[in-house]
Amino acid sequence: MARFLAELATRFPEATYTLVADDTVEVRYAACGCDLVQCGWVTSPVLCECSAHNLQANFEAALGTAVAGTLQASLLRGEEACVFEVHF
């Protein structure tokens, strides 16, 4: 898992990936990567649920197992970062 997270950090330097428990990874974004938000077309934090599901699908594809992705914090809700948890 440590090697996998290090590879993610190399490929996606705008995010941090932290193993916070044996079965949980925290993913943190300091800036929103969504094009719809960056263009100013969407400002609703509901969109962040889409990001949680996208992150879940990506982890499932990479790890070959079912995971759950949950939104913990959102820039669109006024919080300092977008934070997601991925549970294996």
Side-chain angles (χ1 to χ4, degrees):
M1 181 57 68
R3 195 169 115 201
F4 172 66
L5 296 179
E7 182 65 26
L8 283 176
T10 299
R11 293 177 185 245
F12 304 100
E14 69 281 357
T16 59
Y17 302 89
T18 306
L19 189 63
V20 295
D22 289 342
D23 63 349
T24 306
V25 171
E26 179 188 87
V27 181
R28 179 178 293 264
Y29 301 100
C32 184
C34 179
D35 293 338
L36 297 173
V37 173
Q38 290 177 0
C39 290
W41 296 342
V42 175
T43 58
S44 172
V46 173
L47 182 67
C48 302
E49 292 297 334
C50 176
S51 295
H53 291 287
N54 184 48
L55 190 63
Q56 175 180 333
N58 288 337
F59 266 78
E60 285 179 347
L63 299 176
T65 189
V67 304
T70 58
L71 176 66
Q72 301 299 309
S74 166
L75 290 163
L76 292 178
R77 293 191 311 212
E79 295 160 308
E80 67 180 45
C82 289
V83 181
F84 300 90
E85 284 188 351
V86 179
H87 305 275
F88 319 130

